[in-house]
Amino acid sequence: DLERDDVAATMELRNIPTLRQLLDVVRDSGLGTVLACSGSMAAIGLTPPDVEPKVDALVGWTAILQRTAGATDRFHL
């Protein structure tokens, strides 16, 4: 999961959208893609079945850089 309960609660108290809410807006808009880096995923002990349902694609860091080349806004979480 992308959010810790304490962080989400603090964001809610401050009337700030949580990371989950922001990702839902991006996904619903059709204007962004949520990619997961396979190397980072493995480094924190996640497997493809853990991640694939939550992202649009599972790719390597090189593929992420290629897909976002020239992008003015690139977010890393």
Side-chain angles (χ1 to χ4, degrees):
D1 197 1
L2 293 171
E3 292 182 333
R4 291 185 357 211
D5 289 338
D6 60 329
V7 173
T10 299
M11 293 176 84
E12 245 180 76
L13 283 172
R14 294 181 180 173
N15 211 18
I16 300 169
T18 64
L19 178 56
R20 172 60 50 213
Q21 290 168 330
L22 291 172
L23 286 174
D24 288 344
V25 169
V26 168
R27 187 170 271 145
D28 292 345
S29 75
L31 299 173
T33 303
V34 179
L35 304 174
C37 175
S38 57
S40 296
M41 180 192 72
I44 60 172
L46 296 174
T47 63
D50 297 326
V51 177
E52 288 171 333
K54 300 175 183 179
V55 299
D56 297 316
L58 179 62
V59 297
W61 184 239
T62 303
I64 292 172
L65 292 175
Q66 289 171 342
R67 288 180 183 207
T68 60
T72 55
D73 294 316
R74 186 184 330 182
F75 298 98
H76 310 274
L77 306 173

